[in-house]
């Protein structure tokens, strides 16, 4: 489903005087239906890697191919790619002046060119699916953080993506609302959705991931099946990281 080949990404700082390598020659693959959880310390390149997968972050070297589409090609339509690779952010990114229903309807009518009636039907079914059917006429400010994140997930699913990216989707939530969003993500995984997830929720990683990728300083340091990784990490860096958070 996803092929990442020797990807590097630099960021300029100090007014362009200095550059920092956010990603260093990263290569990996994600199979169709696979759930990959990416973990590591802050600044390790996790979110940058995730954002390269739908073109929100460019790359300086290497290549990324998703479902046969070279996303670095000048002929690739990024808007089409982003309908097929849905993304859920840490801070929801909902339209504050739109109701929950409108937040899910709008991208369908604008990007997918669906008729209004069909888009509303899809939106209502998804609000039911994410457990907040009674909130369709509420605005984001009238919702809890967990409810807003459910709307964001529903909005991404409305585009019928081939793959979902979750960038720290629960880190901005109150502890009591985290479990509901994680349960929804687990349901998507059980249904066979291809997923790449950046998270600090180690319990979720152990339970749901097919594979865990550990990153540090822009590189993939270690990867493996969850039980093997959490019980017997091979690298010293992963061992130190796990000792601090578990």
């Amino acid at each position: 489903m996803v092929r990442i080949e020797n990807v590097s990404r630099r960021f300029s700082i100090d007014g362009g005087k200095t550059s920092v390598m956010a990603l260093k020659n990263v290569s990996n693959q994600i199979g169709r239906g696979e759930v990959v959880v990416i973990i590591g310390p802050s600044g390790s390149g996790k979110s940058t890697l995730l954002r390269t997968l739908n073109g929100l972050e460019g790359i300086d070297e290497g290549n990324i191919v998703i479902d046969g589409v070279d996303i670095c090609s000048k002929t690739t339509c990024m808007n089409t790619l982003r309908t097929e690779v849905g993304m859920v952010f840490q801070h929801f990114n909902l339209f504050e002046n739109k109701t929950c229903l409108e937040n899910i309807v709008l991208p369908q009518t604008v990007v997918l060119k669906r008729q209004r009636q069909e888009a509303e039907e899809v939106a209502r079914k998804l609000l039911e699916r994410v457990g907040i059917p009674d909130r369709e006429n509420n605005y984001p400010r009238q919702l809890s953080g967990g409810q807003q994140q459910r709307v964001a997930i529903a909005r991404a699913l409305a585009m019928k993506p081939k793959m979902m990216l979750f960038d720290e989707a629960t880190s901005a939530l109150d502890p009591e609302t985290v479990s509901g969003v994680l349960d929804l993500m687990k349901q998507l995984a059980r249904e066979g959705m291809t997923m790449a997830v950046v998270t600090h929720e180690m319990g979720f990683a152990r339970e749901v991931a097919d594979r865990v990728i550990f990153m540090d300083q822009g590189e993939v340091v270690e990867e493996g099946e969850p039980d093997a990784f959490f019980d017997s990490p091979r690298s010293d860096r992963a061992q130190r990281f796990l000792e601090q958070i578990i």
Side-chain angles (χ1 to χ4, degrees):
M1 183 70 178
V2 179
R3 191 167 72 249
I4 304 165
E5 301 173 331
N6 306 118
V7 167
S8 295
R9 174 59 168 159
R10 300 177 186 85
F11 290 113
S12 296
I13 59 175
D14 299 332
K17 297 177 182 178
T18 309
S19 65
V20 175
M21 292 290 290
L23 297 174
K24 303 176 185 177
N25 201 36
V26 173
S27 295
N28 220 286
Q29 296 186 12
I30 300 175
R32 194 177 304 277
E34 187 178 21
V35 178
V36 173
V37 173
I38 306 170
I39 66 173
S42 297
S44 60
K46 309 183 300 294
S47 293
T48 301
L49 178 60
L50 204 69
R51 291 167 66 87
T52 65
L53 298 182
N54 70 348
L56 286 177
E57 196 67 64
I59 63 175
D60 296 302
E61 297 167 7
N63 199 38
I64 299 172
V65 178
I66 297 180
D67 201 24
V69 176
D70 181 351
I71 74 169
C72 301
S73 171
K74 293 181 180 179
T75 62
T76 297
C77 177
M78 299 309 294
N79 287 335
T80 300
L81 172 73
R82 288 175 188 136
T83 66
E84 298 179 345
V85 183
M87 188 159 187
V88 178
F89 300 88
Q90 178 179 354
H91 294 294
F92 324 131
N93 287 11
L94 299 176
F95 298 114
E96 293 294 331
N97 63 334
K98 302 289 185 184
T99 65
C100 293
L101 189 73
E102 285 294 333
N103 263 281
I104 304 171
V105 166
L106 184 61
Q108 297 181 69
T109 56
V110 172
V111 180
L112 300 183
K113 307 302 181 184
R114 284 178 180 155
Q115 295 298 311
R116 173 82 190 190
Q117 182 177 351
E118 179 187 2
E120 287 187 359
E121 290 175 359
V122 170
R124 290 192 172 99
K125 287 179 181 178
L126 285 169
L127 285 171
E128 178 80 34
R129 180 179 181 184
V130 301
I132 49 172
D134 58 333
R135 298 292 184 172
E136 69 171 69
N137 293 317
N138 288 102
Y139 290 88
R141 64 180 178 275
Q142 298 171 315
L143 305 178
S144 69
Q147 290 169 334
Q148 290 186 63
Q149 197 60 289
R150 288 167 183 261
V151 176
I153 293 172
R155 181 176 62 182
L157 292 175
M159 311 304 282
K160 291 192 175 297
K162 298 176 180 178
M163 179 181 185
M164 287 283 286
L165 311 176
F166 293 88
D167 188 11
E168 309 248 11
T170 60
S171 63
L173 303 181
D174 294 330
E176 62 267 24
T177 63
V178 167
S179 62
V181 173
L182 289 177
D183 286 344
L184 180 55
M185 293 167 66
K186 292 174 186 177
Q187 179 184 341
L188 292 175
R190 288 193 295 268
E191 293 171 358
M193 175 66 74
T194 305
M195 296 167 58
V197 183
V198 170
T199 185
H200 292 295
E201 299 289 341
M202 297 300 108
F204 173 87
R206 184 186 279 270
E207 179 181 351
V208 179
D210 296 302
R211 185 159 46 97
V212 175
I213 294 175
F214 174 71
M215 294 187 67
D216 189 29
Q217 298 183 358
E219 298 178 296
V220 174
V221 176
E222 184 173 343
E223 62 179 294
E225 295 182 357
D227 287 344
F229 174 79
F230 286 110
D231 293 339
S232 303
R234 299 186 303 275
S235 65
D236 291 342
R237 184 64 188 93
Q239 291 175 18
R240 293 196 302 271
F241 176 78
L242 292 175
E243 285 171 359
Q244 292 174 351
I245 65 171
I246 296 180

